[in-house]
Amino acid sequence: MKLIRKRRIALSGLFFLAGLSFASWASRIPDFQQLFDLSEGQLGTLLLGMPLGSLIALPLAGWAVDKYGSRKVIVMGSLLYAFSLLSLGFTGSVIQLGVAVVIFGIMGNIMNISLNTQALLVEDGYNRSILASFHGLWSLAGFAGAGIGALMIKLDWAPVYHYWVVAGIMLLILVASFNLLFKEEKRAGGGGLMLKKPDALLLRIGLVGFFGMMCEGCMFDWSGVYLKKVVVASPDLVPLGYVTFMAAMASGRFFSDALANRWSKIVMLRISGTLICLGLLIAVAYPVFWTAVTGFLLVGFGTASVIPLSYSIAGRSKMYSPSISLALVSTISFFGFLLGPPIIGFIAELFDLQVSFAVIAMMGMCISLLVSVKTHIFDNHKVPANKKVAAKG
């Protein structure tokens, strides 16, 4: 087996475990709500700690990976991510849990930047698009994590014992993967994210990620509400909309690389934006169960490749290192995830939920437009066929 393939397998395991760790926390949220007797409002406030931690981590992650290299950050990040997961299970008060959630969010996004930076090195070794497959494994881990969480609940295991199992698996995979990770060459004049200004490429692709994450946030938080209040689906069918979206997004990431290699990343982003727009408009125009779910399916396929391809393009910036470029694009994109759900609620309050979904559909069309005008700024993102990876061992 070629070394580059071994590196890809090793990194795939780390992506899967990062997703598994997040899903392990998410699957036990109802247990923490019951343990600390939290109201819906209190739980919602607590969960804000995750995006807050993620936002704090963005400049920190860019600086750390740029200064120390993605391999070192992955190793330390994995250990601290496992520890932060365990700390959630050991909390004895709501305040402690809130702090632990923020720290967990910080470590999750540090892993996000470091893993994607390492993935760009592996992608360079293949000289073709493969980043989406790593994100597909992260998504697939969400289903695995939910299943394991359900099993732990059935066995009546407390979250802390559940998390010990996940942390142990993470340690084993980390030990097996360490020697296969790329070690970047030391660069002079690193710096950090600080207040760096994105160039035209990073700003454009950051906006693509912004609208993509806005659409994802819409589906994560509002797809079930839409089926319940607009479609008036029976309670047992309501979760199917979210599951359909997630399944389409996860599976779509496993074949979007092949399509990007065949048609180009820019063409794939145009198609992705069109699918998002079309899917949401179908759900708005025909608010009955099966057409709405079909629309959500198209949205899932559309969002599948937006963030992976955005990261892949951003990592080719000639202005900043891959880690800084990823942190900049992630920062811009992340605000879409934060702002999307509240904007939907605000518009729904003024008009109705169908109008909200129609507005988000236009965000999908914005993705297609952003990669269809002044396309010369994307010309420099392509990896030359004879490019050598600036890494060793």
Side-chain angles (χ1 to χ4, degrees):
M1 185 185 294
K2 291 184 177 180
L3 179 59
I4 190 65
R5 182 168 176 80
K6 291 181 181 179
R7 294 188 193 279
R8 183 178 182 178
I9 292 172
L11 188 59
S12 295
L14 291 170
F15 264 92
F16 185 87
L17 284 175
L20 183 65
S21 296
F22 177 80
S24 297
W25 148 248
S27 68
R28 303 307 294 264
I29 288 174
D31 294 283
F32 287 104
Q33 183 179 18
Q34 182 179 9
L35 177 64
F36 294 107
D37 193 26
L38 301 174
S39 67
E40 302 298 330
Q42 289 171 326
L43 179 63
T45 302
L46 176 75
L47 294 180
L48 285 175
M50 185 69 69
L52 175 61
S54 297
L55 195 59
I56 293 171
L58 285 168
L60 175 62
W63 168 82
V65 176
D66 192 58
K67 183 174 178 63
Y68 299 107
S70 60
R71 183 166 80 159
K72 289 183 179 179
V73 177
I74 286 172
V75 172
M76 290 304 300
S78 296
L79 295 174
L80 292 173
Y81 201 28
F83 178 79
S84 65
L85 178 66
L86 282 172
S87 71
L88 292 166
F90 281 112
T91 53
S93 70
V94 176
I95 294 176
Q96 290 177 1
L97 181 60
V99 172
V101 169
V102 172
I103 295 172
F104 188 65
I106 291 172
M107 296 316 306
N109 226 6
I110 287 176
M111 289 296 290
N112 172 44
I113 299 299
S114 59
L115 286 172
N116 278 285
T117 302
Q118 183 74 198
L120 288 171
L121 294 172
V122 177
E123 186 173 75
D124 286 351
Y126 273 82
N127 197 31
R128 58 186 171 85
S129 181
I130 63 168
L131 205 66
S133 64
F134 291 121
H135 287 242
L137 285 166
W138 195 97
S139 298
L140 189 63
F143 290 98
I148 293 172
L151 175 63
M152 294 297 180
I153 293 170
K154 184 176 179 62
L155 295 174
D156 200 26
W157 282 28
V160 66
Y161 300 118
H162 175 183
Y163 296 161
W164 269 115
V165 172
V166 176
I169 296 172
M170 178 176 283
L171 182 60
L172 290 174
I173 297 296
L174 179 62
V175 170
S177 304
F178 174 71
N179 288 329
L180 291 170
L181 297 177
F182 277 112
K183 182 179 180 182
E184 295 97 327
E185 295 284 5
K186 185 72 175 177
R187 290 187 305 273
L193 181 57
M194 305 297 286
L195 297 175
K196 294 183 184 295
K197 181 180 178 181
D199 60 8
L201 171 66
L202 296 181
L203 180 59
R204 181 75 67 88
I205 208 64
L207 288 173
V208 168
F210 175 89
F211 290 121
M213 291 291 279
M214 183 175 283
C215 296
E216 279 191 37
C218 165
M219 298 308 296
F220 286 149
D221 290 2
W222 290 95
S223 58
V225 178
Y226 190 87
L227 288 180
K228 181 178 180 180
K229 293 192 173 181
V230 177
V231 177
V232 196
S234 60
D236 57 318
L237 292 177
V238 165
L240 190 59
Y242 175 76
V243 171
T244 300
F245 163 75
M246 283 298 297
M249 186 170 72
S251 60
R253 286 176 167 170
F254 288 105
F255 60 76
S256 61
D257 280 324
L259 296 177
N261 290 321
R262 181 175 181 178
W263 296 330
S264 86
K265 295 171 186 175
I266 301 304
V267 170
M268 269 302 293
L269 286 173
R270 288 175 191 155
I271 294 172
S272 296
T274 302
L275 286 175
I276 292 170
C277 181
L278 179 62
L280 288 170
L281 288 180
I282 288 174
V284 169
Y286 304 99
V288 294
F289 181 76
W290 289 112
T291 51
V293 169
T294 300
F296 293 170
L297 180 79
L298 294 177
V299 177
F301 284 132
T303 55
S305 61
V306 173
I307 293 302
L309 292 183
S310 296
Y311 282 3
S312 183
I313 294 172
R316 315 305 171 195
S317 170
K318 293 185 176 181
M319 189 170 183
Y320 300 120
S321 67
S323 60
I324 298 299
S325 300
L326 288 176
L328 281 165
V329 168
S330 293
T331 301
I332 298 170
S333 302
F334 190 71
F335 279 104
F337 192 78
L338 286 179
L339 295 175
I343 287 174
I344 290 173
F346 179 72
I347 296 174
E349 188 74 22
L350 290 176
F351 302 98
D352 57 45
L353 205 51
Q354 282 177 280
V355 173
S356 295
F357 270 53
V359 171
I360 299 300
M362 295 304 102
M363 303 301 100
M365 188 52 62
C366 285
I367 294 172
S368 297
L369 291 174
L370 282 168
V371 294
S372 299
V373 297
K374 296 184 179 180
T375 56
H376 64 276
I377 69 170
F378 297 110
D379 292 343
N380 292 331
H381 85 272
K382 297 177 182 177
V383 184
N386 60 352
K387 179 176 178 178
K388 293 183 179 180
V389 178
K392 62 183 181 181

